[in-house]
Amino acid sequence: MRGNPSDEMRDRIRGARRWLVLTGAGISAESGVPTFRGAGGLWEGSRPEELASPEGFRADPARVWRWYRWRRELIRGVEPNEGHRAIARLERCVPELCLATQNVDGLHERAGSRNLLELHGNLLRSHCLEGCSAETTEDPEAAVPLCRCGAPLRPSVVWFGETLDEQVLREAFARCERCDVCLIVGTSGVVYPAAALPGIARQAGALLIEVNPEETPLTGLCDRSIRGPAAQQLPAWMRECGWEEEPTPPAGV
Ligand code: OAD
């Protein structure tokens, strides 16, 4: 009964207090943002290590900046979809929800999600390659924008071979260790440490639900797999769980 919820599962979902939602590129696919892997993905025909690694940046920073500026333009031209909005609504319906996203597109925030951990950073920000903390305005005309200290600026995303922000990662693991439900949406589940989060939740006894048109390495861990695109499936799943509308704000607000 992987595809349909039992009454027991629905009761467990409605009674759950602590939620951890893990998302990947698939949640933004229906907004028009390409995923990384598979046909038409960002990594098709390109070498990730040239575009998304410290070595690639040092070898050709202008090329890397061209790619990130193209992605920024793309993101500025799209809107959050019904999947992003369903997750933002879920946060308002349940007592405690933490959203850990691997996405760097900022669409969850634009959809209204508040308790958000950006595991891989944010594409719209930049910082000094040498790590200095000078306040700098990024020059949009420069092929490689520079920090006030003279070093190149780089996009504030996590590249291959780099570690995730320690505090963000610690918080994500802690949330998994104590969540009642872990909802996994639109990730291939192959990039670590993010891909390890559902296993932590499973060990902690959480119910695991996956939304993805394809089977993934995480599917075997899940109590339920909802096969299909997130922008369609998440609102339908919310209705099925009985969250039809926005929760009523508490009296006096
Ligand atoms: P991937 O491109 O690896 O996987 C996207 C997943 O989304 C696949 O499992 C698809 O089946 C699924 N998918 C596609 N369309 C969907 C839809 N409409 N609704 C729901 N799911 C859909 O992307 P990620 O798992 O996010 O890291 O990749 C993880 C990390 O690898 C990224 O954050 C990025 C990349 O290299 C860095 O850049 C550090």
Side-chain angles (χ1 to χ4, degrees), residues 138-157:
E138 194 185 307
D139 177 359
E141 301 299 324
V144 179
L146 299 179
C147 177
R148 263 194 15 214
C149 75
L153 287 173
R154 57 162 285 180
S156 295
V157 298

Side-chain angles (χ1 to χ4, degrees), residues 24-26 29-30 35-37 43 102-103 120 158 160 186-189 191 211-214 216 228-230:
E30 287 150 279
T35 59
F36 291 92
R37 293 169 184 81
W43 293 151
Q102 296 165 87
N103 298 349
H120 294 165
V158 176
F160 290 103
T187 178
S188 55
V191 174
V211 181
N212 197 312
E214 311 276 337
T216 75

Side-chain angles (χ1 to χ4, degrees), residues 80-244:
N81 64 48
E82 289 305 316
H84 298 105
R85 279 194 274 276
I87 293 172
R89 191 150 55 86
L90 183 64
E91 184 176 349
R92 297 190 288 269
C93 290
V94 300
E96 186 185 310
L97 183 144
C98 175
L99 169 56
T101 186
Q102 296 165 87
N103 298 349
V104 294
D105 57 26
L107 290 177
H108 280 303
E109 194 177 353
R110 282 168 60 189
S113 282
R114 289 293 164 258
N115 196 8
L116 178 64
L117 296 174
E118 292 183 315
L119 298 169
H120 294 165
N122 190 307
L123 183 58
L124 301 173
R125 292 195 295 266
S126 57
H127 66 269
C128 175
L129 184 67
E130 300 304 332
C132 90
S133 54
E135 281 275 324
T136 302
T137 312
E138 194 185 307
D139 177 359
E141 301 299 324
V144 179
L146 299 179
C147 177
R148 263 194 15 214
C149 75
L153 287 173
R154 57 162 285 180
S156 295
V157 298
V158 176
W159 282 333
F160 290 103
E162 294 184 318
T163 51
L164 277 62
D165 181 282
E166 202 182 313
Q167 215 177 322
V168 168
L169 190 60
R170 201 178 313 122
E171 174 77 10
F173 273 92
R175 295 286 187 153
C176 281
E177 279 162 11
R178 57 169 207 261
C179 71
D180 303 314
V181 180
C182 177
L183 177 65
I184 307 154
V185 186
T187 178
S188 55
V190 296
V191 174
Y192 284 79
L197 293 170
I200 310 276
R202 171 95 272 178
Q203 275 175 5
L207 186 76
L208 263 62
I209 303 167
E210 179 183 58
V211 181
N212 197 312
E214 311 276 337
E215 194 170 319
T216 75
L218 301 172
T219 302
L221 284 179
C222 293
D223 299 283
R224 183 165 179 218
S225 294
I226 301 172
R227 290 271 161 265
Q232 281 176 26
Q233 296 297 329
L234 278 172
W237 171 78
M238 293 276 293
R239 282 195 296 279
E240 176 193 291
C241 294
W243 287 303
E244 295 278 351

